[in-house]
Amino acid sequence: MSGRRTFIKNLFALSAFSGTSMFSFKRDSLSRISSLGPAEACVMTNPDYAMGLSKGRVKIDYYGMSCFLITSDNGTRIITDPFFADLEILHSELNKEPADIVTVSCGHYAHCYIWSVGGMPYIYQVTEPTELNGIKFRGVATRHLTMSELAEQDPGDNIVMCFEVDKIKFCHLGALGHKLSDEQVKKIGKVDILMVPVGGVSTLPVNDAYEVCNQINPKVIIPMHYRSERCVLPSWATLNDFLKDKKDVVKFEPKGFNQITFTASELPSVMQIIAPDYPR
Amino acid sequence: MKIKWFNVSAFMITTEKGVKIITDPFAYNYKPQLLPLPPNFEKNRPPIGEYPDVITLSHGHFDHSYVGAGNIKGVFKLYTGGAPKEYKGVKFSGVTAYHDPVGHNHHGFVTLNVIEADGIRIMHTGDYGQKRLYDEQVTQLGRIDIMMTAWGEWVPALIEQLKPKVILPMHHARIDDYMRGFKGFVDYTSKSSELEFAKAALPSEMQIIMLKQSMETNL
């Protein structure tokens, strides 16, 4: 067991080192970066930002699983659902990525590993509307309906996170396990960018995921929490299972490109699926 | 200020102004997945359930960093080390150390969190397990008034190097002959889980105060 684990970890470490993603760092430089404030680190880690190319735009970086980093125009950094890497989740964990706010949708290891976040962030994991760093957060209570052994440890609550960054309304479904009720849809309200779990098994089935998208009717859908070469849970659905038979799909190539930038005026008028890649 | 021990490595520090800081909250209903259940395992342990202003974490293990799903209430700040920060008049700084004796770096790093409130400097060692502190670490830690530490072979070196005034043993610490051998040993295990400290009233000779656990746990 331990030999296999070491092998997988080594394999993983090798591929992480040879990866070309500009958002992954070597371990040596981490202490330096984590000692910087969020704004300086943002400039350091994002060449576009340093050159002023992404000025005025909201940046969305995908890190794998349900973890996104959303950077507003003024450099406020929001991280959603940081995860814990183990034998099955081989994505590279956040490595003390500085943040101002971290949202946690549920208390499972793949959603609440806040040790991996740096800086001194607020942790938002409640349903009460709260304004943090000038951004209004609100949570909508839903259920996780998860695997039985996990349900024994945890009441199975999940919180759908809604917040607005630079006039773009975000909604992160966390580990939602069911279709939404009319009341929940009303509470979520208008959404521009929706992050939806599509892997099934521990979240809602892949077909229901698309129905939830239609219920909320956002302008952009970003699928997350699916099986891939870095998330090797055999019974989960893959990204292609979700994208099958869908129109208006933008799938990111080349591999390893994990950033999308937006302005409020650029959002598509028809519902579009955008699937960024994750760091490799 | 008041210091209350929940269990394992979780303490709550309440400053004179009412700022609440919780250190290393543990997984309150942790159930081992592969190992057999412990003999006194109970399915529905209550959570910590407090509304803190700040949570400090020493490392990412689940008996030290469980904040989700009802264990901790409200919106709070997180401090896990890195650059020193100040929030609501309380200063936080962290020094990186090893989880295990040097040369057996199995579990990686821990942060030795130093919390300065009401003029008292409190250090929480988490799962620190080095044989000795490096000189650099001693310099960075500075003066330590109250030290919360697990009870093990690293304690004599910590006492010698940091000279704390009060030691609060934690993380499954048991009263042993070494602890009883200290002149300033105080047994509060049947009295109280909460103590009040003031800067002017800190003891001149080192005290080791074994508090009562205010929560049960499966860990």
Side-chain angles (χ1 to χ4, degrees):
Chain A
M1 186 70 179
S2 66
R4 183 165 170 243
R5 184 177 180 126
T6 318
F7 169 70
I8 292 174
K9 281 278 174 191
N10 285 346
L11 203 69
F12 167 54
L14 273 174
S15 57
F17 246 80
S18 59
T20 50
S21 168
M22 55 183 145
F23 305 108
S24 61
F25 322 105
K26 289 179 182 174
R27 282 184 181 273
D28 302 345
S29 61
L30 284 171
S31 54
R32 194 159 55 90
I33 288 183
S34 66
S35 67
L36 293 172
E40 301 105 277
C42 183
V43 172
M44 263 191 76
T45 56
N46 186 340
D48 276 3
Y49 194 90
M51 291 187 290
L53 292 179
S54 50
K55 200 161 170 21
R57 303 176 77 84
V58 177
K59 291 163 282 293
I60 306 164
D61 295 309
Y62 184 44
Y63 282 91
M65 297 306 287
S66 307
C67 185
F68 292 88
L69 163 65
I70 297 153
T71 313
S72 78
D73 182 31
N74 65 9
T76 303
R77 291 156 68 87
I78 303 161
I79 288 178
T80 62
D81 285 18
F83 59 87
F84 176 70
D86 60 8
L87 274 174
E88 288 156 338
I89 299 167
L90 307 173
H91 288 290
S92 37
E93 291 168 358
L94 296 182
N95 220 327
K96 293 289 172 195
E97 189 71 45
D100 298 308
I101 301 127
V102 180
T103 67
V104 176
S105 67
C106 71
H108 291 154
Y109 59 91
H111 298 269
C112 77
Y113 192 57
I114 56 174
W115 166 251
S116 62
V117 180
M120 195 175 185
Y122 284 104
I123 307 296
Y124 185 79
Q125 54 176 7
V126 293
T127 50
E128 287 82 43
T130 313
E131 187 168 333
L132 303 169
N133 290 30
I135 296 168
K136 281 177 189 145
F137 287 81
R138 59 200 168 84
V140 180
T142 50
R143 294 287 289 171
H144 193 152
L145 300 181
T146 175
M147 292 176 286
S148 57
E149 73 267 25
L150 281 175
E152 269 177 38
Q153 280 185 32
D154 189 88
D157 290 329
N158 175 60
I159 297 171
V160 172
M161 296 296 173
C162 302
F163 49 93
E164 188 175 325
V165 182
D166 294 348
K167 293 178 185 164
I168 299 178
K169 294 185 181 68
F170 284 86
C171 176
H172 187 283
L173 294 180
L176 182 70
H178 55 86
K179 283 185 251 178
L180 297 169
S181 69
D182 292 344
E183 196 192 348
Q184 285 164 340
V185 174
K186 204 176 157 192
K187 272 188 189 166
I188 290 169
K190 195 169 165 292
V191 173
D192 294 326
I193 298 182
L194 176 72
M195 286 97 159
V196 55
V198 300
V201 185
S202 75
T203 59
L204 74 176
V206 59
N207 295 330
D208 289 2
Y210 193 64
E211 279 182 40
V212 167
C213 296
N214 284 327
Q215 279 182 310
I216 297 175
N217 195 22
K219 288 172 181 161
V220 175
I221 299 166
I222 304 180
M224 61 179 185
H225 207 269
Y226 48 79
R227 174 157 63 93
S228 67
E229 69 199 54
R230 286 290 177 85
C231 176
V232 293
L233 291 140
S235 48
W236 284 28
T238 60
L239 178 59
N240 284 338
D241 292 339
F242 177 72
L243 298 181
K244 202 168 58 186
D245 308 327
K246 305 284 189 305
K247 290 172 192 166
D248 276 322
V249 174
V250 181
K251 195 180 166 193
F252 270 38
E253 310 279 346
K255 298 277 182 203
F257 194 79
N258 68 335
Q259 189 179 61
I260 316 169
T261 64
F262 269 114
T263 60
S265 57
E266 268 177 18
L267 291 164
S269 50
V270 190
M271 192 163 77
Q272 195 178 52
I273 302 171
I274 302 183
D277 206 29
Y278 40 82
R280 286 163 197 258
Chain B
M1 72 163 65
K2 285 179 192 162
I3 297 180
K4 181 186 179 182
W5 188 29
F6 295 115
N7 203 331
V8 196
S9 304
F11 288 87
M12 184 163 75
I13 301 161
T14 314
T15 67
E16 280 160 21
K17 284 182 183 166
V19 181
K20 287 181 182 174
I21 302 140
I22 292 182
T23 62
D24 281 23
F26 52 88
Y28 67 100
N29 52 1
Y30 173 77
K31 174 176 169 284
Q33 300 266 323
L34 301 170
L35 303 168
L37 291 179
N40 56 350
F41 183 82
E42 203 177 292
K43 212 170 162 186
N44 298 312
R45 297 274 188 210
I48 290 175
E50 293 279 350
Y51 288 80
D53 295 285
V54 184
I55 295 269
T56 65
L57 302 184
S58 67
H59 63 304
H61 291 174
F62 274 67
D63 52 342
H64 290 265
S65 71
Y66 191 73
V67 301
N71 196 19
I72 304 293
K73 309 277 186 196
V75 181
F76 50 87
K77 278 259 189 184
L78 173 75
Y79 185 76
T80 59
K85 305 274 179 188
E86 192 170 340
Y87 184 64
K88 292 194 177 175
V90 183
K91 286 177 192 162
F92 296 87
S93 56
V95 177
T96 304
Y98 288 106
H99 188 291
D100 303 280
V102 179
H104 303 275
N105 183 12
H106 177 52
H107 287 112
F109 300 107
V110 298
T111 300
L112 306 174
N113 283 310
V114 180
I115 302 159
E116 187 173 344
D118 304 339
I120 299 178
R121 285 172 66 84
I122 304 167
M123 174 169 101
H124 188 281
T125 60
D127 269 359
Y128 164 86
Q130 285 174 211
K131 284 177 189 157
R132 272 181 87 76
L133 286 166
Y134 296 109
D135 292 345
E136 275 182 344
Q137 290 172 326
V138 176
T139 318
Q140 284 174 23
L141 286 165
R143 171 176 62 89
I144 299 297
D145 297 323
I146 300 176
M147 180 167 86
M148 298 152 171
T149 180
W151 200 251
E153 55 269 33
W154 49 86
V155 173
L158 279 179
I159 292 173
E160 182 212 319
Q161 289 179 294
L162 296 173
K163 301 179 184 63
K165 291 181 182 131
V166 175
I167 296 180
L168 304 175
M170 63 171 192
H171 204 284
H172 313 302
R174 297 277 175 276
I175 298 170
D176 56 10
D177 290 344
Y178 177 62
M179 203 187 278
R180 276 196 210 95
F182 284 96
K183 218 170 138 192
F185 171 61
V186 189
D187 186 357
Y188 264 74
T189 45
S190 53
K191 287 181 195 162
S192 164
S193 56
E194 192 166 35
L195 278 181
E196 199 150 353
F197 291 94
K199 202 195 174 191
L202 283 173
S204 53
E205 264 192 54
M206 189 183 74
Q207 277 193 351
I208 297 177
I209 306 175
M210 187 73 205
L211 289 170
K212 184 183 167 189
Q213 297 162 349
S214 61
M215 275 175 76
E216 292 294 311
T217 172
N218 288 327
L219 287 164

